[in-house]
């Protein structure tokens, strides 16, 4: 149904129930990489719209296998096609990234992997009706919406939903495990400890932004025997962000759920009745930590530093969910944590601990050590290349085994720089000479 005929409440529930968990054996892997874009020489320098638009025009001419999209603050996102293995996914995305980086270099720009813009004030570059409406909607509750829209970036791992069965390959078990390991992934890959040049006191500031943003839209659905039931109810009860209409200005209703919109039917609180297309669009405006999009989209991982830092969270997450032995080990690893994965996640105490403390939290560190060990054992069984396994080993040694995350490196770099500046100042006399 794609006509302008209004959708009924029963139809909407059935639609949301049926399209978001497409069942089948887990075999495909995908990744969506969001990147901040900085001046190649000066990360504090603002990239003007004209310069950015010229670079984007060149990028759109590249023969990429991934889909290239632009986020409202100028972040770039590359979404890989589904691949039949981790190695195929990594190879395809790495080739596309190399082409994008080369094209950006010609404009003296580069991709930067932080979960949250550390230095500059977020600003919106895109003037599309969707983002104008989104900004108006989120501005009602403070500045955190603009920070999310224009200053955050992530690694989103996309995996098949799973089978109808009850085992580790079943969609219900995979849905639950994705939430259970969420805090471990947040803590292990936290990489956003700064905002506007100042430490926030939170290693994963991006996750803190999501936790503070419009809970009915960003929290996990409630626990249920069948996650499809939970998701359908969650989707219909979530507030409508905007109602599309002709022209530049879309309607931005207040406290109108999609279910309310159906029942109102364009009489009192909305300009028109919703259609099937409106439901499909509404689903794209929901941002829980794990989003069923036909497949499962894990959205809690910060963008990572370096050209290939994204490979490790992709490999570890895919291994823990797609290898049955690793899945059992992951369940065991998180057994000592708070096993209420749907309780206001990402705003519950465990998720907040993960965002604030990273792997300095002893319980999360132990869980991460066990999860990374299980993933490492599983990667050869999943056909992961030697290069991927080596990257996971290096990350484990550098961070997990030491109770650290990438945010700690950035904090150390800034602290050391401040100490060096202070030492230099102390050696200079009042006349400006040593």
């Amino acid at each position: 149904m794609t006509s302008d005929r209004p959708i009924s409440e029963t139809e909407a529930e059935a639609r949301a129930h049926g399209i978001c968990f497409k069942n089948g054996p887990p075999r495909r892997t995908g990744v969506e990489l969001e990147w901040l874009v900085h001046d190649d020489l000066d990360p504090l320098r603002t990239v003007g719209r004209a310069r950015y638009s010229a670079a984007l025009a060149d990028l759109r001419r590249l023969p990429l296998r991934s889909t290239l999209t632009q986020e409202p603050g100028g972040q770039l996102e590359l979404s890989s096609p589904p691949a039949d293995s981790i190695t195929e996914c990594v190879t395809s995305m790495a080739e596309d990234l190399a082409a994008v980086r080369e094209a950006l270099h010609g404009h003296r720009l580069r991709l930067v992997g932080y979960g949250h813009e550390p230095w500059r004030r977020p600003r919106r570059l895109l003037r599309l009706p969707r983002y104008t409406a989104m900004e108006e909607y989120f501005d009602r509750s403070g500045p955190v919406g603009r920070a999310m829209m224009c200053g955050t970036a992530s690694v989103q791992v996309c995996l098949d939903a799973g089978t109808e069965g009850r085992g580790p390959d079943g969609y219900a078990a995979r849905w639950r495990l994705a939430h259970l390991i969420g805090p471990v992934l947040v803590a292990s890959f936290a990489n956003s400890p700064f905002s506007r040049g100042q430490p926030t006191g939170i290693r994963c500031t991006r996750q803190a932004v999501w936790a503070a943003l419009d809970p009915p839209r960003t929290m996990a659905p409630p626990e249920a025997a069948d996650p499809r039931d939970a998701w359908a109810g969650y989707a219909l009860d979530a507030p409508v962000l905007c109602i599309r209409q002709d022209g530049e200005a879309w309607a931005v209703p207040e406290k109108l759920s999609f279910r309310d919109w159906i029942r109102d039917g364009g009489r009192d609180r909305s300009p028109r009745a919703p259609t099937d297309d409106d439901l499909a669009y509404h689903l794209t405006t929901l941002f829980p930590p794990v989003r069923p999009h036909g497949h499962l989209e894990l959205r809690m991982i910060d963008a990572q530093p370096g050209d290939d830092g994204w490979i490790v969270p992709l490999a570890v997450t895919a291994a823990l969910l797609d290898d049955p032995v690793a899945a059992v080990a992951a369940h065991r690893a998180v057994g000592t944590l708070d096993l209420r994965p749907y309780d206001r996640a990402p705003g519950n105490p465990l998720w907040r601990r993960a965002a604030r403390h990273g792997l300095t939290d002893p319980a999360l560190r132990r869980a991460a050590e066990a999860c990374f060990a299980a993933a490492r054992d599983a990667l050869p069984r999943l056909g992961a290349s030697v290069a991927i396994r080596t990257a996971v080993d290096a990350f484990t040694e550098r961070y997990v085994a030491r109770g650290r995350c990438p945010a700690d490196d950035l904090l150390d770099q800034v602290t050391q720089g401040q100490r060096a500046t202070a030492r230099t100042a102390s050696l200079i006399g009042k006349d400006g000479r040593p």
Side-chain angles (χ1 to χ4, degrees), residues 137-153:
Y137 178 92
F138 288 129
D139 277 353
R140 291 170 180 166
S141 56
V144 70
R146 295 193 183 203
M148 177 277 291
M149 291 171 58
C150 304
T152 61

Side-chain angles (χ1 to χ4, degrees), residues 285-367:
T285 70
L286 306 180
F287 310 112
V290 183
R291 183 165 67 177
H293 218 54
H295 54 274
L296 300 183
E297 183 182 271
L298 284 78
R299 304 173 50 84
M300 71 285 292
I301 302 169
D302 273 356
Q304 295 296 287
D307 288 353
D308 55 4
W310 58 274
I311 294 174
V312 178
L314 168 63
V316 169
T317 306
L320 293 178
L321 266 76
D322 285 355
D323 183 84
V325 177
V328 172
H331 271 103
R332 189 181 305 116
V334 300
T336 59
L337 302 176
D338 184 344
L339 296 184
R340 293 177 292 174
Y342 311 108
D343 181 18
R344 295 178 290 111
N348 68 31
L350 177 60
W351 285 71
R352 289 183 182 276
R353 274 170 48 200
R356 179 172 292 278
H357 301 296
L359 295 186
T360 63
D361 183 290
L364 284 164
R365 176 179 177 177
R366 289 191 294 271

Side-chain angles (χ1 to χ4, degrees), residues 27-31 65-66 80-96 310-311 314 382-385 388:
R27 66 176 183 84
R28 295 174 302 175
T29 303
V31 68
R65 281 170 286 185
S66 303
S80 75
D84 289 330
S85 70
I86 299 172
T87 299
E88 180 185 332
C89 181
V90 168
T91 300
S92 173
M93 178 59 78
E95 292 174 356
D96 284 350
W310 58 274
I311 294 174
L314 168 63
L382 295 174
S385 67
I388 293 172

Side-chain angles (χ1 to χ4, degrees), residues 90-388:
V90 168
T91 300
S92 173
M93 178 59 78
E95 292 174 356
D96 284 350
L97 280 172
V100 168
R101 288 193 176 96
E102 182 177 357
L104 287 176
H105 183 68
H107 296 269
R108 304 185 312 281
L109 298 173
R110 63 189 178 99
L111 300 178
V112 180
Y114 298 118
H116 185 279
E117 169 58 55
W119 318 125
R120 304 177 305 190
R121 180 188 296 270
R123 66 190 182 106
R124 184 160 65 94
L125 294 179
L126 284 188
R127 298 300 178 188
L128 300 178
R130 170 185 172 96
Y131 297 121
T132 300
M134 185 179 290
E135 187 174 85
E136 179 182 342
Y137 178 92
F138 288 129
D139 277 353
R140 291 170 180 166
S141 56
V144 70
R146 295 193 183 203
M148 177 277 291
M149 291 171 58
C150 304
T152 61
S154 67
V155 174
Q156 298 174 16
V157 179
C158 300
L159 303 169
D160 283 326
T163 68
E164 287 278 356
R166 292 180 175 273
D169 285 349
Y171 73 93
R174 287 167 65 78
W175 174 253
R176 179 174 175 78
L177 181 58
H179 287 85
L180 285 173
I181 65 174
V184 175
L185 298 176
V186 170
S188 300
F189 299 110
N191 185 40
S192 50
F194 282 85
S195 178
R196 301 185 191 180
Q198 298 297 321
T200 63
I202 301 172
R203 284 170 170 79
C204 187
T205 300
R206 173 183 168 274
Q207 196 62 52
V209 166
W210 282 109
L213 181 72
D214 198 22
R217 184 181 310 283
T218 60
M219 285 194 309
E223 188 166 10
D226 188 339
R228 292 177 296 195
D229 296 335
W231 176 254
Y234 171 92
L236 266 62
D237 290 332
V240 174
L241 190 148
C242 59
I243 298 175
R244 296 171 296 169
Q245 50 194 19
D246 293 337
E248 291 297 317
W250 292 358
V252 184
E254 290 198 50
K255 298 180 180 179
L256 180 75
S257 71
F258 198 89
R259 194 185 306 277
D260 292 337
W261 187 13
I262 293 173
R263 294 174 178 177
D264 179 75
R267 290 183 294 273
D268 299 317
R269 303 178 60 193
S270 57
R272 59 175 176 80
T275 67
D276 181 71
D277 285 344
D278 288 315
L279 176 61
Y281 185 84
H282 173 67
L283 295 175
T284 70
T285 70
L286 306 180
F287 310 112
V290 183
R291 183 165 67 177
H293 218 54
H295 54 274
L296 300 183
E297 183 182 271
L298 284 78
R299 304 173 50 84
M300 71 285 292
I301 302 169
D302 273 356
Q304 295 296 287
D307 288 353
D308 55 4
W310 58 274
I311 294 174
V312 178
L314 168 63
V316 169
T317 306
L320 293 178
L321 266 76
D322 285 355
D323 183 84
V325 177
V328 172
H331 271 103
R332 189 181 305 116
V334 300
T336 59
L337 302 176
D338 184 344
L339 296 184
R340 293 177 292 174
Y342 311 108
D343 181 18
R344 295 178 290 111
N348 68 31
L350 177 60
W351 285 71
R352 289 183 182 276
R353 274 170 48 200
R356 179 172 292 278
H357 301 296
L359 295 186
T360 63
D361 183 290
L364 284 164
R365 176 179 177 177
R366 289 191 294 271
E369 288 173 339
C371 283
F372 272 72
R376 180 59 181 85
D377 290 343
L379 287 172
R381 296 192 291 269
L382 295 174
S385 67
V386 172
I388 293 172

